[in-house]
Amino acid sequence: GSALLQGGSTVLTAQSNPAAASYKWYKDGTLMSGMNGSSITVTYNTAADLGSYTAEATDANGCKAMSSAILMALPAGLFSFRSASACAS
């Protein structure tokens, strides 16, 4: 993706296979209140908007998969989740 200028925004999207029952998003390790969909929009207004964004996908069986991206210049990002081998069937 291309870098954004200050004042611009980008959408981060989590994909889960199989489909996740729920999502949680974190910024620098802190849960982002109200951000529970498969996508979030991040706007770059100040340096505080940059950092590590993490998506946690939980499937219907309670299995969790996480992926993160460190946004230094706020490029567009895509999170890809694979089946978590740690989950029991």
Side-chain angles (χ1 to χ4, degrees):
S2 57
L4 288 175
L5 298 176
Q6 193 167 12
S9 62
T10 191
V11 176
L12 301 179
T13 301
Q15 292 182 331
S16 179
N17 185 14
S22 66
Y23 296 92
K24 291 181 183 177
W25 289 85
Y26 300 83
K27 181 182 180 293
D28 297 327
T30 301
L31 181 65
M32 298 174 70
S33 178
M35 301 297 180
N36 53 13
S38 61
S39 298
I40 62 170
T41 300
V42 179
T43 302
Y44 172 30
N45 288 315
T46 69
D49 297 318
L50 304 177
S52 176
Y53 287 83
T54 303
E56 177 184 273
T58 304
D59 70 14
N61 297 319
C63 179
K64 296 180 180 181
M66 297 183 79
S67 184
S68 63
I70 297 173
L71 302 182
M72 298 174 62
L74 209 61
L78 173 67
F79 296 103
S80 294
F81 291 94
R82 301 190 196 295
S83 297
S85 59
C87 296
S89 298

